[in-house]
Amino acid sequence: MNAKKMANYTNNAKAQELWKTFYLCAKESKTRRFHALYDKIYRPDILWEAW
């Protein structure tokens, strides 16, 4: 596996881990509000995955 593919894999894994954390927290408490998500969404790995 070359370096670029490996970087994509780790970014993808981190993005999925963040998504899973949000998902589980939301399912645990239906009234939970997620404030100040900008710092999490603006991460380079999340933006790369979205692109």
Side-chain angles (χ1 to χ4, degrees):
M1 191 178 282
N2 66 25
K4 186 172 183 173
K5 284 186 180 180
M6 188 62 179
N8 267 349
Y9 174 76
T10 56
N11 287 343
N12 188 12
K14 288 179 185 179
Q16 286 181 351
E17 184 179 336
L18 180 63
W19 175 84
K20 183 178 179 181
T21 301
F22 287 148
Y23 173 81
L24 292 174
C25 289
K27 286 295 182 184
E28 184 178 316
S29 174
K30 299 287 184 183
T31 59
R32 177 167 179 156
R33 300 284 184 221
F34 294 93
H35 301 284
L37 293 176
Y38 185 77
D39 63 326
K40 313 244 182 333
I41 295 171
Y42 196 67
R43 288 180 11 196
D45 59 327
I46 301 299
L47 291 175
W48 181 258
E49 183 65 25
W51 172 262

